[in-house]
Each structure stands twice: as structure tokens, then as C-alpha cells.
Amino acid sequence: MKSVENAPCWRLMEASDLASVGAVAAEVHPHFPEDDAVFFNRFSLHGQGTYVFENGATTLGYAITHPWKSFDIPPLNTVLVALPDWPDNYYIHDVALVNAARGSGAASEIVRTVIDHARQLGCQTISLVAVNGSSIFWHRHGFETVDRSELVEKLATYSNDACFMLRQLR
């Protein structure tokens, strides 16, 4: 995560960022609303996996990630009681950028950062649910679509085009 004066950059999220993260989420994902409590929950459980993309005082995006279980999807808009004691997977809950930040390379930059973080934690895989046609982006970063019958019902709560994607880290 490089920082150049007056240039947009990624940094670790702080509690004071949560209101702007909620605003970005409402703009970027109007069909996938989540309560502010969900963002606070993920930040509280694994702050080292939450990031904001900013240009000065303006939040242009965020990424929320955390250790999790293989082949599992945390339900949308749900507060987690705890993270697993022995996670083998790292989960990308969301990467969201406002329109002005798209095409800047910011998404690819944070994906590389998150993959490095997951490796440092010793996770074997990294996964996510791709929506809004984003699977093409994720394929470019080494993720593959995985079809598993036990995920069909949860995926349907996202959207018709939602797909579970996984990348091996070893």
C-alpha cells in the first residue's frame, strides 16, 4: 500500500471510518444492503483485514476481509459471534469502490495486499462471493468458480448471478 502525497491510497480502517464505509456501501451495493453493525463487527473481529481507499478526507472505497472456514459463506447482513478458532480459509467479504475510483488499479492493489495477508496467517485458500458480473475480475486474480450443492441456497440470497470463488494459496 503505497502512499504518495495527495494521491489516493489504501490504509487500514479505523473506527472513525465506519460511517463513510457505510455510505460507500449504500452507493456501490444498493441491492446488497448491510447494517452498519456488520461493518463494525468485521472491523472489531479482524481490524487488520479491513481497509479504506481514500483521497485526502474522501473515502473512495473499502475492503473487508477475515479468516473463515473453507467452503462456507457468512450470511449477508449478519453479525458474526466470533471468527473460527482454526480457520483454513480467508474470506473476502467485500471490496467496493465508488465509480470515480474504478479503473484506477485500486481493486487489484488491495487484492494483492489481502492475498499476502492471508498467506501470512497461514490460510490455505481465499474465497469470496462474486456478484454483479465481477467474476471476470476475480478470474484475472487466480480465483476459480466452485460449484457446491451446499452453497446454492446461500448464494441465492445474494443474486441470480452470484458465484462462489476460491483461490489456492499454497
Side-chain angles (χ1 to χ4, degrees):
M1 295 186 290
K2 299 175 189 167
S3 179
V4 177
E5 192 173 331
N6 298 325
C9 64
W10 287 102
R11 66 168 173 76
L12 285 174
M13 191 180 293
E14 299 172 359
S16 60
D17 296 315
L18 291 168
S20 62
V21 165
V24 170
E27 178 182 335
V28 174
H29 296 305
H31 302 295
F32 306 102
E34 291 194 289
D35 297 333
D36 289 342
V38 173
F39 301 120
F40 179 76
N41 174 249
R42 300 312 191 274
F43 170 77
S44 297
L45 289 174
H46 191 69
Q48 62 269 41
T50 60
Y51 308 86
V52 292
F53 186 63
E54 67 177 9
N55 188 3
T58 304
T59 300
L60 303 171
Y62 65 87
I64 297 178
T65 67
H66 56 82
W68 200 239
K69 302 170 272 190
S70 290
F71 303 107
D72 191 17
I73 302 169
L76 274 176
N77 201 28
T78 301
V79 171
L80 303 175
V81 175
L83 296 177
D85 290 333
W86 304 105
D88 56 349
N89 178 67
Y90 199 77
Y91 187 73
I92 299 176
H93 176 87
D94 196 6
V95 173
L97 294 170
V98 298
N99 283 336
R102 292 187 183 162
S104 67
S108 292
E109 181 182 354
I110 198 62
V111 169
R112 288 188 297 272
T113 298
V114 168
I115 288 170
D116 288 346
H117 178 63
R119 283 186 172 130
Q120 289 170 0
L121 293 176
C123 294
Q124 298 171 8
T125 57
I126 187 167
S127 65
L128 58 97
V129 174
V131 295
N132 297 333
S134 64
S135 61
I136 295 167
F137 169 83
W138 295 107
H139 278 293
R140 286 195 308 259
H141 290 280
F143 289 79
E144 298 295 327
T145 302
V146 176
D147 293 320
R148 293 184 67 121
S149 59
E150 68 269 24
L151 299 178
V152 171
E153 193 172 311
K154 279 190 180 177
L155 287 170
T157 67
Y158 284 76
S159 65
N160 291 338
D161 77 334
C163 61
F164 181 76
M165 300 188 79
L166 183 82
R167 175 180 165 161
Q168 296 293 326
L169 294 177
R170 305 262 173 213

